[in-house]
Amino acid sequence: MSYTASPEARATSSGFLRLVGHPVRWQLLGELARSDRQVRELTALVGQRQSLTSYHLGQLRAAGLVTMRRSSADGRDTYCSLNLALYRERLAETGAALHPGLRLVPAALTPPAGGPGRPPAQSPVRVLFLCTGNSARSQMAEAILARLGGSRIEAASAGSHPKDLHPDAVRVMRERGVDISGARSKHLREFVEQRFDYVISLCDRVREVCPEFPGPPAMVHWSIPDPAAEAAAGQPSHPAFVRTADELNTRIQFLLYAIEHFQASSERS
């Protein structure tokens, strides 16, 4: 029995491979897979002229693989983000266009070591989420990671200018079966002497003032808009909080894949 993909599927797949296979674009994708970056940072990292870097980013953006948004810290800067979920989907389609046995199947995360309620076999991975107010994004991220990561993860959150927990953050997380109503907003100085494996900034402003941590940890930036800004603009904020929770959930799932891979590699070496 033979398998032949449709001409449309073959053309789409070959176009995707040409797009991401270009050396500069592949390097840009690799940098953005680790952290959101400003265009000027990417220009320095790939060692190309800014005009050429912007051209290749434009190609990736046209395909939906990269999104760009103005920095909330400085409107002259633009942050780029990689749509990992769409990239995975395109890879799956590309493999299947050649042969059904090549369809990408995402690796399954292993359950928390030792099972529920039992201590993990090794020290938990410590992750700190930072935003300005520690009232929404970072609190939601902490709760989502704690739920998905189980006993192998120790999640925390803080802000550079803490303020009261936003009611829509509580509402959206409750809709997902997580109660954060008792969470306390914390200043990042409470954590500056602690060791973390990952420190993840969720807003552009806090990235600019993020202190150094001992270790040092892996420093990651996710440029996520403040969902409370829609309420400040006179629009209903609940939909923005839903979108933020969805984005955090997706990004955190990919973070857990990276943590799992790093731990497995460390055990083998």
Side-chain angles (χ1 to χ4, degrees):
M1 179 181 296
S2 62
Y3 168 76
T4 305
S6 69
E8 294 80 8
R10 293 199 300 271
T12 299
S13 298
S14 62
F16 172 78
L17 291 175
R18 286 195 300 273
L19 174 71
V20 303
H22 187 281
V24 175
R25 291 193 285 269
W26 182 252
Q27 192 174 357
L28 288 168
L29 290 168
E31 295 295 341
L32 291 174
R34 288 184 280 274
S35 177
D36 295 0
R37 295 285 189 183
Q38 296 169 341
V39 174
R40 57 185 174 85
E41 291 178 311
L42 290 169
T43 298
L45 288 167
V46 301
Q48 301 290 336
R49 300 188 310 275
Q50 181 164 335
S51 59
L52 186 60
T53 302
S54 296
Y55 167 78
H56 288 296
L57 286 170
Q59 297 290 302
L60 296 170
R61 186 182 185 186
L65 297 176
V66 168
T67 58
M68 303 174 70
R69 60 178 294 270
R70 288 289 181 185
S71 167
S72 60
D74 186 342
R76 294 171 297 180
D77 291 326
T78 300
Y79 273 100
C80 301
S81 305
L82 174 59
N83 188 335
L84 285 166
L86 180 62
Y87 191 94
R88 180 169 62 178
E89 181 181 328
R90 293 289 181 266
L91 281 176
E93 293 170 352
T94 299
L98 186 62
H99 190 282
L102 297 178
R103 173 169 287 277
L104 178 68
V105 179
L109 291 173
T110 59
R118 298 182 61 186
Q122 54 185 305
S123 298
V125 174
R126 303 194 73 217
V127 181
L128 176 64
F129 292 103
L130 300 176
C131 68
T132 301
N134 192 215
S135 61
R137 288 165 289 184
S138 54
Q139 294 277 9
M140 295 161 71
E142 176 186 356
I144 292 169
L145 179 58
R147 184 181 194 184
L148 295 179
S151 60
R152 61 191 160 165
I153 300 292
E154 184 178 321
S157 67
S160 57
H161 295 81
K163 54 186 178 181
D164 292 341
L165 196 61
H166 197 288
D168 273 328
V170 177
R171 176 184 173 188
V172 167
M173 294 309 299
R174 183 178 291 121
E175 291 168 352
R176 294 164 183 258
V178 180
D179 183 9
I180 64 169
S181 60
R184 177 178 65 90
S185 293
K186 304 164 292 293
H187 197 284
L188 60 82
R189 63 171 166 258
E190 293 187 28
F191 299 95
V192 291
E193 296 182 358
Q194 296 186 31
R195 290 181 176 269
F196 290 92
D197 299 285
Y198 296 83
V199 173
I200 303 176
S201 53
L202 301 177
C203 79
D204 306 330
R205 289 188 179 92
V206 82
R207 187 193 187 205
E208 300 296 328
V209 299
C210 186
E212 293 185 2
F213 288 84
M219 303 297 293
V220 178
H221 182 56
W222 297 347
S223 182
I224 299 178
D226 182 5
E230 296 203 8
Q235 303 175 25
S237 62
H238 180 258
F241 277 83
V242 172
R243 292 194 300 271
T244 299
D246 288 341
E247 180 174 356
L248 287 170
N249 190 75
T250 298
R251 287 187 183 248
I252 286 169
Q253 288 188 48
F254 278 102
L255 172 66
L256 286 170
Y257 284 124
I259 290 172
E260 195 82 4
H261 173 77
F262 178 78
Q263 287 185 325
S265 299
S266 298
E267 291 172 359
R268 288 195 298 268
S269 60

